[in-house]
């Protein structure tokens, strides 16, 4: 593995692994945000009514906006192989091609396709040749993965589809694959009237590709943030359109936006021979600064004005910090953002007794873990205990015993905890809100402080406990 | 394989979980992969449940695929038994366990040896039944289990209650307005002088199921959940049941008369005719509404109805028979119950549609262009797209269909609620239509901010008279449009003629 600039950090954090009896979203939920991100895609989830029911209820109103996703609902004949998988999938994909004409069809494999061993990876190339639309296979199933890891499986599959510069020959094609720069230099062009050629503003550095699906405003913000340091973003995985997937060559540098992208990182390193920059994730002003600094250090660039920028952001957060300082927050764990969020909140002055997390990749998250540890030392707080594959029942016992000021948890536990007088924040909101970069630190704190602000405005009413007897959970 | 964007009824295990979580102190353990416990989110969100949903998962992961669940399921059952001391644990198969074909019954038998509580395997097959059928079956299975055992142990009380009494069967968690319906039916029974022997499964204890046979009869308000249990109780214990859904004035009366017949046949001298008459004519407002002028205006208006069997059938009858509305299409997604539905609504609508495909019903609605739709949340969104108002009458439903206030659909108060629902849907449609005729909601070219005021235009007497004839809620808009029209053409005095010219110009 070519882990760029990796330096071993002393790990004093305590790690535990529990039973894995916890609540989280099924990883197929990634289609909800990925179909919106990749505008010319169509996601076909090959599974059962159970999968469909989850998606339809979890995505709520999005279902009604005629999304570019559907279920290939398996029937008894499919399970017992009375029907031919290839013929069935061809029939459905033909229909999708006819109705929607997407640039790519992403097949999401599920628990059922795993158990009946449907060879999606084998069927896809044949069918792709036959219908003329790329078919990407991602096995985002609940047997192996949790929630946001679904995106990881899709992006890992997409990483194989990124062209090399040898494959992209024509100028138009180059232009198309450079959508972000086009977007940014366009505004510039209008400003100074000059014709493009902004390359001189960039320092000379190897190609850098960012991976992780984030909303478009964040793509712009982060790209501009790096531009301030003279770093040019060579592309993003994924892009707004499948046809614009970035060029990836051997030796290019890549860096992750999110903590749940270990498979994508591995694929980029092993299969595409890219160099991974291991950094904390750009969540919170501290994380964002560390992330940029790490890229700069890899490219031997002296970072400009980052310290002031970070300080300024912290200053602007003071009203929120006053609310949470000294309060404790408990992460039950379900979306893998937990380490980064905990690190940011500790820097904000909160204490974190425990971080639950579905899966802990200590290598991919190495720099983030190191920053967490450093943050705890800096702030003089105890190191949190990190619990992988948590057991929700045991966690509820500990929450009951320690009465944290805030519990970040899934919707299954939020209302019952509120009824017992415990403040909660729904964890899934962190996956859908804009939380990356300097600009959005405020949004994270808006989320974190909301239950505290709401409950303090209700606090004199005298009805914070709304269950009769303290029933055993 | 089937290309599907949306489904009306959920997978089988949801039905089993609805039954299990309805009972008090019953815990369900799903044999499922990570993430399949989405039921807990729905229960906690939609019903704003204060307690933890008594459903956990015995997780199926790679290790289980490789080696089988082995001790895992049994351990999870005995662990839950010790942690929460439930009366019953229901092991719930899912689509995943259906194809793994593990011997779950064997796990249940082993767990039964160690656990203090009872353990049952829900007898449902993911690929054969849907949520509703599974719920119906699971309820019957639990009832049979506890009655059989009571019989074996000689613990089942003999005989009937002294006074006429009833078991009401079929109220569950996540059921459409079930909690309000339960309150309403209990009140109705009390009004009829009938004792409530039991209400199951919602908030019932499995330990009390042995007393079920004390009731004189069973009442099954919903077609989807409960009939199997009622049929079982009739076959095994000779208990008669009434399965007429008391939804709407006519059906409520029919249900009460059937109850009267059942109770009389067991020797009680009751006569409910006076009660029905009093309720129908003076207590409930639904019958009076049908007679009032408001309802007259709905005569012959076109409506489409779609939902589960119970609600779609009852709604079709109410619209056609009690309000004189023209039901152009009635449909249900309960395909397995198609004959019954056809039989119920055949004479009350032009066309019957039995389909699980949301596209099929949406296309029909677009083609028929009804004035109002009564359907599920899916039809509500179809209505939004086509600008047709929709009253939601059946699951699938959203959080807004779990109102905090009292909103039964059954009984006499239910009839009142339905009147409001129907009337509001149609008047909203009418209001929209009138706004459209008189120039729409668009005010961006408004000439004056105030409604009347310092206008340089004068209205003639006949002009004002005509203006006053325009319905109040669009009058201001008509006035503004007319004045704008007049100004554009240099007309200084607005007469009735100008007003109508303006209306034509806007319409054109």
């Amino acid at each position: 593995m070519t882990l760029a600039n990796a330096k071993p950090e002393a790990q004093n954090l305590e790690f535990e692994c529990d039973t894995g009896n916890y609540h989280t979203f099924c990883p197929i939920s990634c289609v909800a945000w990925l179909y919106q991100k990749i505008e010319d895609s169509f996601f076909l989830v090959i599974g059962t009514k159970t999968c469909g029911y989850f998606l339809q209820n979890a995505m709520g109103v999005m279902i009604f906006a005629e999304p570019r996703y559907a279920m290939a609902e398996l029937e008894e004949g499919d399970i017992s192989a009375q029907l031919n998988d290839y013929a069935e999938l061809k029939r459905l994909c033909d229909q999708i091609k006819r109705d929607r004409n997407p640039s790519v069809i992403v097949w999401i494999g599920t628990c059922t396709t795993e158990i009946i061993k449907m060879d999606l990876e084998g069927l896809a190339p044949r069918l792709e040749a036959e219908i003329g639309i790329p078919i990407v296979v991602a096995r985002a199933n609940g047997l192996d993965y949790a929630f946001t890891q679904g995106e990881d499986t899709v992006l890992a599959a997409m990483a194989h589809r990124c062209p090399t510069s040898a494959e992209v020959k024509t100028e138009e094609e180059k232009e198309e694959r450079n959508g972000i720069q086009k977007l940014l230099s366009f505004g510039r062009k209008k400003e100074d009237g000059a014709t493009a050629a902004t390359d001189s503003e960039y320092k000379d550095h190897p190609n850098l590709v960012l991976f992780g699906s984030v909303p478009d405003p964040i793509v712009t913000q982060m790209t501009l943030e790096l531009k301030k340091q003279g770093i040019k973003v060579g592309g993003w995985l994924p892009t707004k359109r499948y046809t614009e997937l970035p060029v990836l060559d051997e030796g290019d540098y890549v860096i992750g936006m999110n903590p749940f992208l270990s498979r994508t990182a591995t694929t980029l390193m092993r299969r595409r021979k890219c160099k991974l920059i291991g950094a904390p994730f750009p969540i919170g002003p501290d994380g964002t600064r560390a992330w940029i600094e790490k890229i700069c250090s890899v490219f031997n660039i002296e970072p400009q004005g980052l310290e002031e920028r970070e300080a300024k952001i912290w200053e602007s957060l003071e009203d929120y910090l006053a609310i949470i300082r000294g309060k404790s927050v408990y992460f039950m764990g379900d979306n893998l953002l937990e380490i980064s969020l905990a690190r940011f909140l500790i820097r904000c002055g909160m204490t974190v007794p425990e971080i639950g997390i579905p899966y802990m990749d200590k290598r991919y998250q190495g720099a983030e873990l190191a920053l967490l540890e450093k943050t705890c030392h800096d702030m003089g707080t105890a190191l949190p205990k990190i619990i992988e594959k948590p057991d929700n029942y045991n966690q509820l016992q500990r929450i009951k015993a320690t009465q944290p000021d805030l519990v970040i948890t899934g919707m299954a536990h939020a209302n019952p905890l509120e009824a017992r007088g415990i403040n909660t924040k729904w964890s899934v909101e962190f996956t859908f809100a804009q939380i990356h970069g300097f600009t959005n630190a405020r949004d994270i704190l808006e989320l974190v402080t909301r239950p505290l602000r709401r409950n303090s405005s209700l606090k004199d009413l005298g009805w914070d406990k709304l269950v009769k007897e303290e029933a055993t959970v | 394989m089937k290309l599907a964007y949306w489904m009306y009824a959920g997978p089988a295990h949801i039905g089993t979980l609805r039954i299990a979580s309805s009972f008090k102190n019953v815990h369900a353990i799903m044999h499922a992969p990570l993430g399949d416990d989405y039921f807990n989110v729905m229960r906690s969100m939609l019903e704003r449940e204060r307690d933890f949903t008594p459903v956990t998962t015995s997780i199926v992961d790679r290790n289980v695929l490789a080696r089988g669940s082995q001790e895992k399921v049994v351990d999870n059952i005995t662990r839950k038994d010790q942690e929460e001391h439930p009366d019953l644990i229901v092991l719930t198969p899912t689509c995943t366990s259906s194809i793994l074909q593990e011997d779950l019954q064997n796990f249940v038998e082993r767990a039964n040896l160690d656990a203090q509580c009872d353990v049952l395997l829900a007898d449902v097959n993911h690929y054969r039944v849907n949520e509703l059928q599974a719920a119906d079956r699971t309820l019957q299975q639990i009832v049979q289990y506890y009655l059989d055992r009571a019989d074996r142990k000689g613990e089942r009380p003999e005989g009937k209650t002294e006074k006429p009494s009833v078991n009401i069967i079929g109220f569950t968690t996540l059921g459409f307005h079930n909690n309000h319906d339960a309150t309403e039916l209990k009140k109705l029974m009390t009004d009829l002088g009938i004792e409530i022997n039991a209400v199951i499964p919602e908030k019932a204890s499995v330990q009390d199921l042995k007393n079920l046979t004390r009731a004189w009869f069973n009442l099954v308000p919903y077609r989807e959940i409960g009939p199997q249990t009622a049929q079982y109780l009739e076959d095994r214990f000779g208990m008669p049941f009434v399965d007429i859904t008391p939804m709407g004035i006519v059906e409520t009366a029919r249900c009460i008369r059937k109850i009267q017949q059942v109770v009389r046949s067991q020797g009680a001298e009751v006569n409910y005719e006076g009660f029905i008459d009093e309720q129908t004519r003076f207590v409930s407002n639904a019958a009076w509404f049908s007679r009032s002028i408001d309802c007259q205006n709905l005569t012959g208006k076109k409506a489409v109805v779609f939902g589960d069997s119970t609600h779609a059938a009852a709604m079709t009858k109410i619209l056609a028979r009690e309000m004189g509305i023209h039901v152009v299409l009635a449909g249900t997604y309960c395909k397995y119950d198609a004959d019954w539905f056809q039989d119920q609504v055949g004479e009350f609508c032009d066309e019957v549609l039995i389909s699980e495909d949301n596209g099929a019903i949406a296309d029909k609605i677009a083609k028929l262009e009804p004035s109002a739709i009564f359907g599920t949340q899916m039809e509500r969104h179809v209505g939004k797209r086509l600008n047709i108002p929709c009253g939601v009458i059946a699951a699938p439903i959203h959080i807004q269909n779990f109102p905090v206030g009292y909103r039964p659909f059954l009984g006499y108060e239910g009839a009142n609620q339905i009147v409001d629902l129907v009337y509001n849907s149609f008047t909203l449609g009418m209001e929209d239509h009138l706004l459209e005729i008189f120039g729409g909601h668009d005010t961006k070219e408004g000439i004056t901010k105030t409604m009347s005021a310092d206008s340089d235009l004068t209205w003639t007497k006949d002009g004002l008279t005509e203006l006053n004839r325009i319905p109040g809620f669009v009058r201001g808009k008509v006035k503004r449009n007319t004045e704008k029209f007049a100004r554009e053409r240099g007309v200084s005095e607005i007469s009735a003629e100008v007003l109508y010219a303006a209306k034509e110009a806007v319409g054109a």
Side-chain angles (χ1 to χ4, degrees):
Chain A
M1 255 164 85
T2 43
L3 204 73
N5 251 20
K7 58 175 180 227
E9 293 277 355
Q11 297 286 337
N12 295 322
L13 287 159
E14 214 181 309
F15 294 90
E16 255 179 47
C17 188
D18 211 335
T19 64
N21 277 319
Y22 64 103
H23 166 76
T24 183
F25 274 19
C26 173
I28 60 172
S29 52
C30 68
V31 310
W33 63 89
L34 287 176
Y35 91 77
Q36 296 193 55
K37 177 71 195 177
I38 310 168
E39 289 170 0
D40 54 352
S41 62
F42 190 98
F43 284 79
L44 183 68
V45 182
I46 305 165
T48 61
K49 253 185 189 306
T50 307
C51 314
Y53 196 68
F54 162 68
L55 277 179
Q56 134 178 358
N57 285 297
M59 289 195 226
V61 289
M62 280 200 276
I63 294 289
F64 302 109
E66 294 192 60
R68 294 181 316 280
Y69 96 84
M71 292 292 309
E73 195 184 310
L74 300 167
E75 292 166 300
E76 206 162 9
D78 298 303
I79 304 302
S80 52
Q82 284 167 322
L83 297 166
N84 179 288
D85 296 340
Y86 183 76
E88 290 295 298
L89 283 168
K90 176 159 181 350
R91 184 169 58 81
L92 265 43
C93 289
D94 275 339
Q95 193 183 333
I96 292 165
K97 185 184 175 185
R98 202 170 53 238
D99 295 348
R100 313 275 169 146
N101 194 30
S103 307
V104 61
I105 298 176
V106 182
W107 285 354
I108 302 288
T110 62
C111 304
T112 311
T113 56
E114 288 297 311
I115 297 169
I116 64 174
K117 301 200 173 12
M118 193 183 279
D119 182 21
L120 297 177
E121 277 94 345
L123 296 173
R126 275 173 64 200
L127 195 53
E128 178 170 318
E130 202 166 330
I131 66 170
I133 294 179
I135 296 174
V136 172
V137 180
R139 300 201 210 169
N141 61 69
L143 294 168
D144 300 308
Y145 306 109
F147 196 10
T148 49
Q149 288 180 290
E151 174 181 320
D152 193 22
T153 64
V154 174
L155 295 190
M158 290 244 174
H160 292 281
R161 303 296 181 120
C162 294
T164 59
S165 50
E167 288 164 347
V168 179
K169 291 193 185 79
T170 64
E171 275 307 307
E172 300 97 80
E173 220 182 326
K174 273 183 195 156
E175 200 47 18
E176 181 162 63
R177 305 248 172 222
N178 213 354
I180 310 150
Q181 294 303 330
K182 209 165 48 186
L183 189 83
L184 294 175
S185 56
F186 180 64
R188 180 136 204 107
K189 229 188 279 179
K190 272 201 351 204
E191 233 170 71
D192 52 27
T195 44
T198 46
D199 278 9
S200 59
E201 294 170 41
Y202 294 112
K203 305 241 164 56
D204 186 28
H205 65 79
N207 189 30
L208 173 71
V209 170
L210 275 51
F211 60 94
S213 165
V214 287
D216 295 336
I218 291 182
V219 169
T220 314
Q221 285 163 17
M222 298 309 285
T223 309
L224 286 172
E225 210 66 69
L226 287 174
K227 195 179 170 191
K228 281 186 194 151
Q229 307 300 332
I231 296 167
K232 181 174 176 173
V233 175
W236 283 74
L237 174 68
T239 33
K240 265 174 92 72
R241 303 183 66 79
Y242 177 77
T243 51
E244 293 168 2
L245 279 181
V247 172
L248 269 182
D249 287 325
E250 197 172 324
D252 282 356
Y253 280 79
V254 291
I255 186 164
M257 291 292 292
N258 273 319
F260 45 77
L261 298 170
S262 20
R263 284 177 68 88
T264 310
T266 311
T267 307
L268 289 168
M269 285 190 290
R270 293 194 184 153
R271 309 298 298 272
R272 304 304 305 252
K273 311 281 182 231
C274 295
K275 290 176 184 150
L276 176 72
I277 303 175
F281 299 97
I283 292 168
D286 50 340
T288 307
R289 177 179 165 193
W291 185 80
I292 298 171
E293 278 178 347
K294 190 60 184 285
I295 299 173
C296 288
S297 82
V298 170
F299 291 158
N300 282 317
I301 293 168
E302 183 69 32
Q304 300 297 319
L306 274 184
E307 203 177 330
E308 299 75 33
R309 182 120 167 83
E310 190 197 349
K312 209 157 186 149
I313 297 288
W314 282 115
E315 218 172 280
S316 72
L317 298 177
E318 186 48 40
D319 52 338
Y320 280 144
L321 297 180
I323 299 172
I324 53 174
R325 207 167 273 140
K327 298 224 158 55
S328 61
V329 53
Y330 186 105
F331 288 85
M332 286 188 78
D334 68 351
N335 59 16
L336 284 94
L337 293 172
E338 292 88 2
I339 304 289
S340 309
L341 287 174
R343 177 259 302 151
F344 168 53
L345 292 180
I346 291 170
R347 180 63 71 181
C348 289
M350 296 187 90
T351 58
V352 180
E354 192 174 304
I355 308 174
I357 186 166
Y359 168 72
M360 182 74 247
D361 185 338
K362 287 185 199 162
R363 199 147 52 160
Y364 177 63
Q365 294 219 44
E368 182 64 88
L369 287 169
L371 182 60
L372 169 66
E373 213 171 53
K374 179 176 177 297
T375 304
C376 289
H377 292 319
D378 289 353
M379 301 301 290
T381 55
L383 288 165
K385 190 183 269 186
I386 295 173
I387 303 205
E388 205 181 347
K389 291 184 181 297
D391 184 294
N392 280 167
Y393 181 86
N394 296 338
Q395 288 183 312
L396 290 173
Q397 304 309 311
R398 293 196 289 271
I399 287 169
K400 198 172 148 191
T402 57
Q403 299 282 312
D405 295 306
L406 180 67
V407 174
I408 296 184
T409 181
M411 209 42 118
H413 297 114
N415 268 339
L417 283 170
E418 288 284 348
R420 284 158 182 77
I422 306 245
N423 300 320
T424 60
K425 183 74 224 150
W426 188 28
S427 53
V428 172
E429 285 189 66
F430 292 101
T431 26
F432 294 127
Q434 305 193 355
I435 59 169
H436 297 83
F438 286 123
T439 325
N440 297 302
R442 213 178 158 78
D443 291 52
I444 306 178
L445 291 186
E446 166 69 27
L447 288 178
V448 169
T449 57
R450 193 177 298 154
L452 303 169
R453 285 178 286 128
R454 196 271 306 263
N455 291 346
S456 74
S457 60
L458 303 181
K459 77 172 185 297
D460 296 332
L461 295 172
W463 56 57
D464 59 332
K465 290 221 169 73
L466 292 152
V467 279
K468 277 199 183 122
E469 72 276 26
E470 193 53 9
T472 51
V473 284
Chain B
M1 270 180 220
K2 199 169 82 179
L3 195 64
Y5 295 86
W6 166 268
M7 69 183 78
Y8 285 101
H13 69 267
I14 298 289
T16 296
L17 298 181
R18 279 176 61 187
I19 297 299
S21 61
S22 296
F23 279 110
K24 264 192 310 202
N25 218 20
V26 171
H27 200 100
I29 295 184
M30 297 166 68
H31 187 242
L34 192 66
D36 275 2
D37 60 350
Y38 193 71
F39 178 81
N40 298 33
V41 176
M42 292 183 58
R43 174 125 194 275
S44 178
M45 280 292 287
L46 298 178
E47 300 208 313
R48 294 178 204 88
E49 179 55 52
R50 300 171 200 220
D51 279 318
F52 294 95
T53 305
V55 173
T56 43
T57 312
S58 177
I59 303 232
V60 175
D61 56 15
R62 281 283 157 192
N63 291 328
V64 171
L65 283 198
R67 306 174 305 138
S69 290
Q70 298 191 345
E71 301 304 314
K72 199 170 183 178
V73 175
V74 179
D75 286 349
N76 277 318
I77 294 173
T78 47
R79 179 187 160 185
K80 201 41 74 180
D81 179 50
Q82 283 159 14
E83 284 167 355
E84 309 213 7
H85 312 291
D87 294 329
L88 168 69
I89 288 179
V90 180
L91 182 60
T92 309
T94 59
C95 56
T96 306
S97 53
S98 280
I99 38 178
L100 283 178
Q101 299 193 325
E102 283 196 82
D103 189 357
L104 295 180
Q105 187 59 49
N106 173 39
F107 295 150
V108 164
E109 272 149 32
R110 278 168 51 205
N112 253 322
L113 299 176
D114 295 332
Q116 299 295 306
C117 68
D118 306 314
V119 189
L120 260 182
L121 172 65
D123 173 30
V124 294
N125 179 333
H126 174 90
Y127 293 94
R128 301 276 166 88
V129 295
N130 70 17
E131 168 188 356
L132 301 170
Q133 294 162 292
D136 197 18
R137 168 68 185 134
T138 304
L139 180 58
Q140 186 268 333
Q141 193 188 356
I142 292 174
V143 166
Q144 180 172 1
Y145 177 83
Y146 280 98
L147 282 172
D148 279 352
R149 191 169 67 178
D151 268 350
R152 242 186 356 259
K153 292 187 174 176
E155 286 172 350
R156 188 167 65 80
E158 288 294 319
K160 299 287 173 190
T161 56
E162 198 177 322
K163 287 191 189 147
S165 62
V166 62
N167 300 320
I168 311 181
I169 301 174
F171 296 122
T172 68
T173 54
L174 292 173
F176 183 70
H177 291 241
N178 271 203
N179 49 347
H180 308 304
D181 282 351
T183 309
E184 185 64 18
L185 281 197
K186 281 190 250 179
K187 182 173 167 295
L188 181 64
M189 292 304 125
T190 312
D191 288 349
L192 295 174
I194 294 171
E195 285 175 358
I196 310 281
N197 186 59
V199 176
I200 61 167
E202 186 64 343
K203 297 193 183 77
S205 159
V206 288
Q207 307 298 356
D208 298 336
L209 291 176
K210 60 177 182 292
N211 300 322
L212 281 182
T213 51
R214 302 254 304 146
W216 288 31
F217 69 103
N218 294 310
L219 176 61
V220 189
Y222 307 120
R223 179 76 192 158
E224 290 76 21
I225 300 173
Q228 277 198 41
T229 307
Q231 191 63 52
Y232 160 76
L233 290 169
E234 181 176 84
D235 295 346
R236 173 92 165 71
F237 301 100
M239 294 179 76
F241 64 88
V242 175
D243 61 354
I244 299 164
T245 304
M247 187 169 151
I249 291 284
V250 178
E251 291 296 290
T252 303
R254 205 158 73 86
C255 177
I256 295 173
R257 290 199 178 99
K258 184 75 198 284
I259 291 171
Q260 173 174 286
Q261 183 201 330
V262 165
V263 172
R264 275 184 182 165
S265 71
Q266 295 176 62
E269 273 314 309
V270 291
N271 187 348
Y272 298 140
E273 288 304 330
F275 173 79
I276 293 172
D277 185 61
E278 172 77 9
Q279 285 287 337
T280 304
R281 291 201 294 142
F282 305 111
V283 179
S284 156
N285 281 309
W288 158 234
F289 173 80
S290 323
R291 189 72 207 194
S292 72
I293 295 301
D294 281 337
C295 192
Q296 203 180 79
N297 286 335
L298 300 181
T299 308
K301 289 247 172 303
K302 289 200 288 182
V304 165
V305 180
F306 193 81
D308 60 16
S309 301
T310 302
H311 291 89
M315 205 63 201
T316 303
K317 291 184 211 170
I318 292 170
L319 291 172
R321 191 164 54 184
E322 297 179 24
M323 295 182 178
I325 289 161
H326 181 187
V327 180
V328 285
L329 177 88
T332 180
Y333 53 80
C334 297
K335 269 172 96 169
Y336 61 94
D337 202 20
D339 293 344
W340 180 87
F341 188 76
Q342 176 76 46
D343 186 50
Q344 292 290 307
V345 303
E347 56 176 309
F348 296 108
C349 61
D350 298 350
E351 192 184 344
V352 174
L353 176 74
I354 315 273
S355 175
E356 287 173 330
D357 175 11
N358 66 292
I361 178 73
D363 290 347
K364 278 282 184 193
I365 292 172
K367 197 167 138 262
L368 293 166
E369 291 183 16
S371 309
I373 311 167
F374 297 94
T376 70
Q377 277 293 337
M378 193 65 198
E379 283 68 50
R380 191 172 75 83
H381 283 268
V382 172
K384 254 187 182 167
R385 208 179 313 148
L386 300 172
N387 270 321
I388 302 171
C390 177
V392 175
I393 57 151
I397 37 184
H398 283 172
I399 194 151
Q400 72 219 46
N401 304 114
F402 289 88
V404 178
Y406 187 52
R407 301 273 164 73
F409 268 65
L410 302 186
Y412 288 106
E413 177 55 25
N416 289 343
Q417 296 291 334
I418 292 168
V419 163
D420 284 341
L421 180 76
V422 171
Y423 184 65
N424 290 343
S425 303
F426 276 107
T427 36
L428 285 176
M430 186 70 82
E431 186 175 342
D432 236 29
H433 181 63
L434 285 172
L435 284 170
E436 186 90 344
I437 289 174
F438 293 112
H441 279 285
D442 182 17
T443 52
K444 63 178 178 284
E445 291 177 76
I447 28 172
T448 48
K449 284 252 194 288
T450 50
M451 291 270 287
S452 52
D454 34 78
S455 166
D456 49 336
L457 296 162
T458 49
W459 285 72
T460 64
K461 202 175 168 205
D462 66 334
L464 274 179
T465 315
E466 286 307 311
L467 183 66
N468 280 329
R469 285 184 184 148
I470 309 281
F473 54 90
V474 283
R475 197 176 299 143
K477 185 144 294 174
V478 172
K479 182 162 185 278
R480 275 198 303 279
N481 281 339
T482 311
E483 291 183 348
K484 186 173 164 233
F485 173 85
R487 225 172 253 122
E488 275 166 12
R489 278 164 184 71
V491 180
S492 60
E493 202 169 66
I494 302 174
S495 63
E497 270 170 63
V498 177
L499 188 143
Y500 287 122
K503 188 184 150 195
E504 278 161 28
V506 170

